[in-house]
Amino acid sequence: MNILLAIESSCDDTGAAVSRNGKILSNVVAGQVIHRQYGGVVPELASRAHQRHIVPVVQMALEEAGVSVADLDSIAFTRGPGLMGSLLVGVSFAKAMALSLEIPLIEVNHLHAHLIAHFIDEPVPPFPFLCLLVSGGHTQIIRVEDHLNYQIIGRTIDDAAGEAFDKAAKVLDLPYPGGPLIDKLAREGNRYAFHFTEPSIPALDYSFSGLKTSLLYFLRDRIKEDEDFIKNNLADICASYQHRIVDFLLSKLRKAAAETGIRHIAIAGGVAANSELRRRLDELAAEEGWATYIPAFEYCTDNAAMIAMAGHFKWLAKEFAGQDLPPFARVS
């Protein structure tokens, strides 16, 4: 029996979840609306909010799961990557609680947890499978060999897809977080109204900085001719820009599938909630004969349930962490 408490505090969402032998019993997330007025996450404000939220979030997760603190067998926590101040709150809480209860600690890589989110609910992908991970500051294509072993075969060399969405939203004067709003507006627009050149990047890697810059120059030139250009064409701009991002993401994924011969394809991370990406993946899967896998929406964005699942498989492998283990902000 393993009743596990999981803590997630990598960015601006405080999460706690409880699992029993790999089955999620509760999953609680507290968001932070304070960042909207700044157009992005303010690290110091995020860490302070985590300090306020973590105790009530953990209490609620335990109550919803119907377990007490004394029932816990282990505690898993997000070690990184993420904002260092935010990570410190979750890591310190997990260490102190595990020490007081004299139970094992399990450290989890946040990106690995996004991969393992596919095993929370059925259907689950068979090994090996390819996963397009599009989460915040990360865009990667990963070959997943088993629950604990994977190989990154493609990655962004600068900005990630999520950053390209959020920075575009800022240029378009849309409120934070901008990605979901661009997706919503794009549904009302023409994806072929404007053309943005696909970045030319070798192998299976990505780059979104040039695309972001091309949008900036495009808008600058159009506004010179018509100061109301953005207002009058907002839906078409969002649709065209989003179309290029999704096209770029899937073109590399298609290439990775061809090179590896793998036909089981997954997507994960916050951008996996994007409706255009999901629609186009379904179309591509029909063309290529892929079997595709996407976690439920609540498991795409940052959450503790995926930390619990990753922690469960580490528990089975007896991969435990020491009290001296520090958090890390970046992936080496």
Side-chain angles (χ1 to χ4, degrees), residues 71-84:
D71 295 326
L72 296 177
D73 298 301
S74 60
I75 298 178
F77 64 93
T78 300
R79 185 185 173 196
L83 302 175
M84 183 57 77

Side-chain angles (χ1 to χ4, degrees), residues 112 115-116 119 125-129 142-151 313 317 319:
H112 174 220
L115 303 180
I116 299 304
F119 296 90
F127 300 113
F129 67 92
I142 303 172
R143 178 179 175 134
V144 186
E145 301 292 349
D146 60 46
H147 296 111
L148 299 179
N149 295 289
Y150 54 92
Q151 178 188 6
F313 290 114
E319 293 188 12

Side-chain angles (χ1 to χ4, degrees), residues 124-188:
V124 301
F127 300 113
F129 67 92
L130 291 181
C131 182
L132 172 63
L133 174 57
V134 272
S135 170
H138 302 90
T139 299
Q140 300 173 338
I141 299 176
I142 303 172
R143 178 179 175 134
V144 186
E145 301 292 349
D146 60 46
H147 296 111
L148 299 179
N149 295 289
Y150 54 92
Q151 178 188 6
I152 299 172
I153 60 176
R155 71 186 76 207
T156 182
I157 61 175
D158 45 52
D159 287 354
E163 292 171 316
F165 275 116
D166 287 338
K167 290 177 181 179
K170 201 163 188 177
V171 171
L172 294 169
D173 201 26
L174 299 176
Y176 175 85
L181 191 51
I182 287 179
D183 185 18
K184 181 179 179 180
L185 289 166
R187 296 173 203 168
E188 304 168 5

